[in-house]
Amino acid sequence: MSVVSPHEKLLVVDFGGQYTQLIARRTREQSVYSEIAAWDDPCLAEKWASAKAVILSGGPKSVLADGAPTIDPGLLRSGKPVLGICYGQQLMAHLLGGIVVKVISREYGRQLLEPTPDSALLPAPGQVWMSHGDSVRELPDGFAASASTFTCEVAAMQDLSRKLFGVQFHPEVSHTENGTLILRRFLFDQAGFAADWTPANFVEESVEAIRKQVGDGRVLCAVSGGVDSTVAAALIAKAIGDRLTCVFVDHGLMRKDEAARVVATFEDFVPARFVGIDAADQFLDALAGVTDPEEKRKIIGGEFVRVFEKHAGEIGDCSFLAQGTLYPDVIESGSKTASKIKTHHNVGGLPEWMKMELVEPLRWLFKDEVRATGRELNLPSIAIDRQPFPGPGLAVRILGEVTRERVAAVQEADAIFREELERDDLYGGIWQSYAALLDVRSVGVMGDERTYLHPIVLRAVVSEDAMTAHAAAIPFSTLERTATRIVNEVDMVNRVMYDLTSKPPATIEWE
Ligand code: XMP
């Protein structure tokens, strides 16, 4: 199902650059719909033809290397406006007859950019973010240099008559001054986009697309209370009303009081049939004695299916299954290089009988766009601004065996951490924050007694998309207060740590 055909499209050709998704997001922030295609996508020519303009991404390779990623040079002569960023600029120069050379000292980090007076994209001198080992030495016919830095003569180039542009730096990263303005000048002044990618348009078009796909059929949507499944359900409910059945399975691994809240409030903001199932005992019994993280995920995935089988009568016959797949998942699953780090149990693994036709209304959206769609649908902040939460819940935040006692300890510690972050007005700026319980013990002293108990690790990260993340800079006083409360209030715990690792090399969750 595509909801995006009516939109003018910007194509981002991916050469393996670390900022490719960011380019797509930055253009969508300007209300321009963008899609990413790999440089070796067999349908690249078609995608190029259906786009209004193209951005060529950065990439880790040198255009001079054997087997370097490339495209058919004919595409650059198709008359569409093209902006090459970093590797994209070098490739454009290389393919159109310019000369690219290795630079003696690689350029990384901030540089002062000096545009020429006739530069069409670059407004004024400013700091830009550079990271490259090759440089354009000779421009292709028709091009002029439009900016330089102290060490890079062709920091930007342009051929105004063919609307071909290159920049050696990264306008999409926030460290580049005027980066947004540079992208806007390309998108609006040069390519003439209409800025028609808005949440209101998206809601209207996806409601229409869902109605068309589903006809008079029924849709089953498993909801977790999280933002993706709630927004997907709200969109489908808007399209087909109570022919949507939302099923919430409480696996006993939610945060403190959260399952009860979802059951009590879900129907208030999603007008569909709601079936709440308390299966906590079933999941916790199945997890008894299991310590391996992937095994836990497998068991939880299997129990979900069993719950659906057991409650099939209550749920009713549905020929469609809704999934909250997001655009980054779509990009990832198309990528040849992405290796499996963790099995996310909500992807794949369904038995034959559950393989209904999929309805995926969010498959074109980034996370921030899902939230914007939720706001457009008037969903309350409690549903939209909730932190992402893993499908297997607290099972991946309890290292070692998952027992009822350990679940209760993690729930309590997690609730204390949240309260203390909120007290200092920090919670809203954090991507994810939680407490994990470790499967080791250490000696402590409480009152006059020796203790031999478990540590809690506090994890709080800032991130834009969960692909990369950094530890949040939480004031020591907040951490210390949280630690004191956890040790005093949570029975199994006598020590608290704060996890400072970024992703990569760590992941956001501990398992
Ligand atoms: P990691 O730990 O891989 O997590 O850095 C990235 C994001 O995915 C979430 N996550 C999961 N979500 N099932 C899910 O639905 C899972 O098994 C799972 N494991 C991690 C994690 O919370 C973070 O937002």
Side-chain angles (χ1 to χ4, degrees):
M1 179 181 69
S2 171
V3 295
V4 296
S5 47
H7 290 280
E8 297 173 333
K9 180 173 79 183
L10 174 95
L11 178 69
V12 181
V13 182
D14 181 17
F15 295 97
Q18 56 176 324
Y19 301 124
T20 307
Q21 282 199 30
L22 193 57
I23 299 171
R25 286 194 20 235
R26 292 283 182 256
T27 64
R28 291 193 189 190
E29 279 167 15
Q30 300 307 318
S31 306
V32 170
Y33 180 72
S34 55
E35 272 181 27
I36 297 174
W39 62 275
D40 57 350
D41 183 327
C43 304
L44 188 68
E46 269 165 58
K47 292 183 178 175
W48 192 292
S50 66
K52 191 174 173 77
V54 179
I55 291 184
L56 307 177
S57 86
K61 286 264 166 66
S62 160
V63 294
L64 306 169
D66 279 347
T70 189
I71 52 169
D72 171 6
L75 293 173
L76 294 172
R77 301 197 178 92
S78 63
K80 312 240 166 184
V82 181
L83 169 63
I85 295 179
C86 199
Y87 183 89
Q89 156 162 297
Q90 293 155 12
L91 185 68
M92 194 187 281
H94 183 66
L95 293 178
L96 295 176
I99 295 179
V100 175
V101 292
K102 255 202 174 350
V103 289
I104 298 159
S105 63
R106 294 166 75 86
E107 227 184 346
Y108 286 112
R110 269 177 233 256
Q111 300 283 337
L112 181 66
L113 181 84
E114 303 267 7
T116 57
D118 62 348
S119 169
L121 303 186
L122 317 169
Q127 299 287 334
V128 296
W129 191 255
M130 292 278 222
S131 158
H132 67 117
D134 289 352
S135 211
V136 176
R137 166 71 53 83
E138 260 177 49
L139 291 162
D141 283 349
F143 278 83
S146 54
S148 58
T149 67
F150 186 62
T151 51
C152 179
E153 234 172 88
V154 185
M157 61 183 199
Q158 61 186 24
D159 176 345
L160 285 177
S161 63
R162 288 189 287 175
K163 297 201 184 234
L164 298 178
F165 302 88
V167 290
Q168 189 50 69
F169 54 92
H170 289 276
E172 69 278 19
V173 306
S174 54
H175 316 287
T176 290
E177 269 180 77
N178 301 315
T180 306
L181 188 58
I182 294 166
L183 289 174
R184 285 184 63 86
R185 285 187 168 185
F186 175 69
L187 296 172
F188 301 118
D189 301 350
Q190 301 301 324
F193 276 100
D196 59 358
W197 179 247
T198 61
N201 284 347
F202 173 75
V203 167
E204 196 181 309
E205 287 156 24
S206 36
V207 162
E208 222 171 279
I210 292 163
R211 286 191 182 135
K212 203 162 143 207
Q213 186 192 3
V214 170
D216 55 8
R218 294 185 169 279
V219 180
L220 166 63
C221 183
V223 295
S224 64
V227 54
D228 302 344
S229 59
T230 307
V231 171
L235 263 177
I236 299 169
K238 192 173 167 72
I240 63 166
D242 62 6
R243 281 186 289 122
L244 168 69
T245 300
C246 295
V247 181
F248 170 70
V249 177
D250 176 10
H251 49 19
L253 300 161
M254 301 283 283
R255 284 176 278 217
K256 189 178 172 188
D257 299 332
E258 201 155 36
R261 183 186 58 73
V262 174
V263 172
T265 60
F266 199 83
E267 278 172 296
D268 295 345
F269 41 85
V270 179
R273 272 191 75 222
F274 179 80
V275 179
I277 301 169
D278 178 358
D281 283 336
Q282 179 177 333
F283 280 83
L284 293 172
D285 289 347
L287 286 167
V290 179
T291 55
D292 178 70
E294 284 300 286
E295 189 62 23
K296 287 182 195 171
R297 282 189 165 82
K298 238 194 261 152
I299 290 174
I300 291 170
E303 290 310 312
F304 265 111
V305 172
R306 241 158 272 155
V307 169
F308 277 94
E309 279 171 342
K310 198 161 128 193
H311 293 265
E314 211 178 324
I315 294 167
D317 247 358
C318 296
S319 40
F320 295 88
L321 180 69
Q323 260 188 198
T325 315
L326 303 193
Y327 193 46
D329 308 331
V330 175
I331 302 168
E332 284 285 292
S333 55
S335 148
K336 290 180 206 118
T337 46
S339 60
K340 186 173 110 180
I341 314 285
K342 294 173 192 179
T343 321
H344 284 201
H345 84 262
N346 42 348
V347 180
L350 289 176
E352 271 313 309
W353 68 265
M354 273 194 86
K355 288 202 174 129
M356 306 174 248
E357 185 176 330
L358 289 182
V359 182
E360 297 179 303
L362 311 180
R363 69 178 280 120
W364 305 102
L365 300 190
F366 289 106
K367 192 90 179 179
D368 45 347
E369 294 174 311
V370 175
R371 293 204 164 101
T373 303
R375 276 187 280 277
E376 182 65 31
L377 290 163
N378 292 321
L379 293 175
S381 166
I382 190 169
I384 300 171
D385 299 321
R386 189 172 174 261
Q387 291 182 358
F389 189 65
L394 300 178
V396 295
R397 295 177 179 176
I398 296 171
L399 281 81
E401 190 185 357
V402 179
T403 62
R404 286 170 175 78
E405 193 192 10
R406 288 178 176 199
V407 171
V410 167
Q411 282 177 332
E412 210 48 55
D414 186 77
I416 291 170
F417 191 23
R418 178 175 177 153
E419 276 169 31
E420 295 306 324
L421 290 172
E422 281 175 339
R423 191 191 307 274
D424 290 347
D425 209 13
L426 297 166
Y427 191 75
I430 288 170
W431 174 267
Q432 270 177 288
S433 54
Y434 67 84
L437 182 72
L438 302 195
D439 197 23
V440 292
R441 292 203 282 179
S442 72
V443 174
V445 55
M446 286 173 97
D448 287 331
E449 294 213 7
R450 174 187 188 274
T451 58
Y452 190 48
L453 299 170
H454 295 278
I456 278 281
V457 174
L458 301 176
R459 178 97 165 122
V461 295
V462 285
S463 174
E464 290 210 45
D465 50 16
M467 306 282 287
T468 58
H470 295 283
I474 297 184
F476 185 73
S477 55
T478 315
L479 291 171
E480 196 179 33
R481 220 175 44 237
T482 308
T484 307
R485 278 195 60 196
I486 289 176
V487 172
N488 285 337
E489 296 173 37
V490 184
D491 281 348
M492 299 178 73
V493 176
N494 67 348
R495 214 174 269 270
V496 176
M497 279 79 133
Y498 185 58
D499 182 349
L500 289 170
T501 335
S502 45
K503 172 185 180 176
T507 53
I508 294 176
E509 303 292 344
W510 263 62
E511 284 195 340

